[in-house]
């Protein structure tokens, strides 16, 4: 199964097909962007004037008390690095939400940076993100994820804990079924606990261990035959070992470096309800290179292959908030997955940037059954807003085969 981000669970239902909904979303996004631009321009103008030697504002500021820190100042000036003066540099927002699947509700997000050793200016800060969503249709999701860098800069822990109950569209559990079956609906409950500890053996070379617990249940399914005689719920626990080379300058928003990751995971029979042992191999190769002022070229190669006839809860789902953006998550499902994407990221002005990408990917049952005609296209455009120092909130609009949709998230896609 493709690794799931917190925002996959919270916002994977934000695939909006109606023209009316697209117009509404674009209108709200435009208003939000204009509001932030005005705030950013105002804060920049005030800062520039205040710092100008001999200015009246600079003179007056010497006799005026600094405004007390509050929610709005933390939100407006959240892109300024305060991790050396604060134990946790946190910003958060709560707002009404709407998705086609969940209907009206309320959602929120908090993101923060911190340092376990605030005397080490060379170590990248740790990051944490908390998201939640609840709607009038009974949809709810809560997730926390992050990367914790330990003192000494020799080890780190990546983690994710997520709970969700959501109503979803469903087409089947193989690529062929998903391509042919009419859509039905079902309710899915998920509990996920993931941890990946890494220790640096040599400069940029790490070895580590992984724990991956997953509980998944399907209820209120319109047609149980879509599960092909599999159970409607599963518990799986994966134990893995990994090696990686990582020279990225900052994990949530790399601007240079390389990341190569290889992991082997085993799912022992005694730690689950599948009634057999399973395995999975994951490979990731990412590359980041500045190409001109404010411009970054990024490349991502991803593949995950597993045991034959996986339970549906562990199967790969094409489409997520980081790969094959724009596809409904679960529109295509099967045992294995491969994908590739290239992205150009460009800083525009102040806290704003944009991105454009092209890519392709597919899911398939086994290598001998891989079919190039099933490779699906993907491309799109996105807006970036720096909400914390070097941490972007992003709004992407992706296109694919007979589909398109918004993806909203924190940090870059890869």
């Amino acid at each position: 199964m493709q690794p799931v981000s917190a925002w996959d669970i919270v916002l994977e239902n934000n695939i909006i097909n109606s023209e009316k909904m697209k117009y509404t979303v674009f209108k709200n996004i435009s208003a939000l962007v204009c509001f932030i631009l005005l705030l950013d321009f105002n804060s920049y103008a005030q800062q520039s004037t205040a710092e100008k030697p001999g200015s009246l504002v600079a003179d007056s500021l010497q006799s005026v008390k600094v405004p007390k820190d509050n929610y709005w100042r933390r939100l407006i000036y959240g892109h300024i690095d305060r991790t050396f003066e604060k134990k946790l540099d946190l910003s958060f927002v709560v707002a009404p939400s709407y998705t086609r699947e969940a209907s009206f509700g309320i959602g929120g997000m908090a993101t923060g940076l911190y340092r376990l050793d605030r005397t080490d200016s060379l170590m990248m800060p740790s990051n944490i993100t908390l998201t939640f969503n609840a709607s009038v249709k009974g949809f709810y999701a809560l997730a926390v994820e992050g990367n914790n860098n330990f003192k000494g800069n020799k080890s780190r822990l990546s983690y994710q804990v997520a709970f969700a109950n959501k109503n979803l569209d469903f087409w089947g559990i193989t690529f062929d079924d998903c391509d042919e079956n009419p859509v039905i609906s079902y309710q899915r409950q998920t509990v996920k606990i993931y941890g990946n500890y890494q220790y640096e053996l040599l400069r940029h070379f790490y070895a580590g261990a992984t724990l991956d617990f997953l509980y998944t249940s399907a209820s209120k399914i319109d047609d149980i035959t879509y599960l092909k005689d599999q159970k409607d719920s599963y518990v799986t626990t994966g134990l893995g070992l990994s090696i990686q080379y990582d020279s990225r300058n900052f994990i949530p928003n790399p601007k240079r470096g390389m990341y190569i990751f290889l992991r082997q995971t085993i799912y022992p029979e005694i730690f689950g309800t599948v009634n057999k042992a399973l395995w999975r191999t994951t490979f990731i190769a990412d590359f980041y290179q500045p190409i001109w002022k404010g411009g970054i070229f990024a490349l991502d190669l991803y593949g995950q292959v597993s045991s034959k006839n996986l339970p549906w809860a562990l199967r790969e789902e094409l489409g997520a908030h980081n790969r094959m953006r724009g596809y409904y998550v679960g529109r295509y499902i099967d045992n294995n997955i491969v994908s590739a994407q290239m992205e150009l990221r460009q800083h525009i002005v102040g806290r704003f940037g944009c991105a454009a990408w092209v890519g392709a990917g597919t899911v398939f049952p086994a290598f001998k059954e891989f079919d190039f005609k099933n490779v699906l296209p993907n491309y799109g455009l996105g807006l970036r807003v720096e909400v914390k120092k070097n941490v972007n909130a992003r709004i992407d609009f992706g296109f694919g085969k007979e589909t398109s949709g918004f993806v909203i998230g924190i940090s870059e896609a890869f």
Side-chain angles (χ1 to χ4, degrees):
M1 175 181 286
Q2 183 173 335
V4 182
S5 164
W7 281 89
D8 293 348
I9 296 172
V10 179
L11 294 165
E12 64 184 1
N13 295 328
N14 287 357
I15 306 299
I16 302 170
N17 295 319
S18 70
E19 293 299 324
K20 181 178 179 180
M21 183 55 62
K22 290 181 181 177
Y23 171 76
T24 302
V25 173
F26 273 121
K27 182 176 68 175
N28 292 338
I29 291 172
S30 300
L32 176 62
V33 169
C34 292
F35 175 69
I36 298 176
L37 273 171
L38 287 171
L39 291 174
D40 195 55
F41 175 78
N42 183 55
S43 65
Y44 174 78
Q46 290 178 352
Q47 182 181 9
S48 300
T49 307
E51 293 177 352
K52 186 177 179 180
S55 69
L56 293 176
V57 176
D59 294 337
S60 62
L61 282 176
Q62 294 178 359
S63 59
V64 176
K65 294 179 65 176
V66 177
K68 185 178 180 180
D69 190 27
N70 56 39
Y71 169 77
W72 292 109
R73 287 186 61 80
R74 289 194 298 271
L75 184 64
I76 296 171
Y77 302 104
H79 63 297
I80 299 174
D81 187 0
R82 299 183 180 229
T83 56
F84 290 103
E85 57 189 270
K86 288 185 174 184
K87 290 184 178 180
L88 177 61
D89 183 13
L90 185 69
S91 295
F92 64 92
V93 63
V94 178
S97 65
Y98 178 87
T99 68
R100 182 185 60 183
E101 293 77 17
S103 186
F104 291 98
I106 187 168
M109 175 274 295
T111 182
L113 299 175
Y114 63 94
R115 298 178 185 269
L116 294 184
D117 185 355
R118 283 186 278 169
T119 65
D120 188 347
S121 61
L122 298 179
M123 183 175 68
M124 72 176 70
S126 302
N127 67 285
I128 183 172
T129 298
L130 172 69
T131 57
F132 79 89
N133 196 297
S135 80
V136 296
K137 281 192 173 183
F139 171 96
Y140 66 84
L142 174 67
V144 58
E145 65 177 344
N147 299 283
N148 185 86
N149 300 304
F150 294 97
K151 289 183 178 181
N153 202 25
K154 294 291 291 184
S155 60
R156 64 192 182 204
L157 175 67
S158 300
Y159 57 89
Q160 178 190 351
V161 179
F163 309 88
N165 178 81
K166 47 194 173 181
N167 301 308
L168 298 172
D169 292 340
F170 192 48
W171 290 265
I173 62 173
T174 70
F175 184 97
D176 290 338
D177 287 344
C178 292
D179 206 32
E180 299 171 1
N181 287 343
V183 62
I184 63 172
S185 63
Y186 77 117
Q187 191 174 70
R188 182 169 180 164
Q189 296 83 34
T190 304
V191 178
K192 182 177 179 64
I193 302 173
Y194 170 84
N196 180 31
Y197 176 81
Q198 298 287 328
Y199 184 82
E200 188 176 29
L201 301 175
L202 299 170
R203 179 172 169 78
H204 300 319
F205 283 94
Y206 296 80
T210 297
L211 170 67
D212 188 1
F213 171 85
L214 180 66
Y215 165 76
T216 308
S217 176
S219 61
K220 300 180 181 179
I221 186 169
D222 289 348
D223 188 347
I224 196 68
T225 63
Y226 275 44
L227 294 181
K228 291 185 174 293
D229 297 323
Q230 293 192 7
K231 299 179 188 178
D232 59 6
S233 66
Y234 285 99
V235 173
T236 60
T237 304
L239 305 174
L241 295 175
S242 63
I243 56 174
Q244 65 176 266
Y245 174 86
D246 190 358
S247 62
R248 294 173 295 178
N249 63 315
F250 187 49
I251 294 175
N253 183 16
K255 292 182 170 58
R256 62 179 181 275
M258 183 181 297
Y259 176 63
I260 300 176
F261 178 82
L262 178 64
R263 179 177 62 210
Q264 183 64 50
T265 306
I266 303 297
Y267 296 84
E269 180 180 348
I270 61 173
F271 293 153
T273 60
V274 184
N275 299 324
K276 64 178 179 179
L278 306 170
W279 60 266
R280 164 169 290 157
T281 303
T282 307
F283 174 77
I284 304 173
D286 294 339
F287 174 76
Y288 309 90
Q289 178 63 47
I291 52 177
W292 54 65
K293 184 177 180 180
I296 306 294
F297 171 78
L299 173 67
D300 171 61
L301 304 176
Y302 177 79
Q304 195 157 256
V305 294
S306 307
S307 305
K308 292 183 179 179
N309 300 318
L310 284 178
W312 65 269
L314 277 180
R315 296 201 176 193
E316 308 297 340
E317 299 179 331
L318 194 76
H321 104 295
N322 51 0
R323 294 181 176 94
M324 303 300 288
R325 287 163 277 174
Y327 284 87
Y328 189 102
V329 179
R331 179 61 184 88
Y332 294 95
I333 300 176
D334 218 315
N335 256 39
N336 311 300
I337 187 170
V338 292
S339 69
Q341 57 183 330
M342 297 183 297
E343 185 166 280
L344 176 62
R345 301 167 184 171
Q346 179 63 52
H347 175 256
I348 301 175
V349 63
R351 298 164 66 177
F352 292 88
C354 62
W357 78 90
V358 294
T362 190
V363 291
F364 56 98
F367 278 114
K368 65 180 181 180
E369 299 178 64
F370 182 88
D371 194 335
F372 279 101
K373 74 177 183 181
N374 292 336
V375 176
L376 302 168
N378 184 229
Y379 56 95
L381 299 169
L383 174 69
R384 304 291 183 266
V385 181
E386 187 181 23
V387 292
K388 304 302 297 179
K389 181 65 174 179
N390 289 328
V391 177
N392 291 335
R394 59 187 173 94
I395 303 172
D396 291 331
F397 193 81
F399 298 87
K401 179 184 177 182
E402 300 176 353
T403 188
S404 62
F406 282 102
V407 175
I408 304 172
I410 295 293
S411 302
E412 291 298 337
F414 61 91

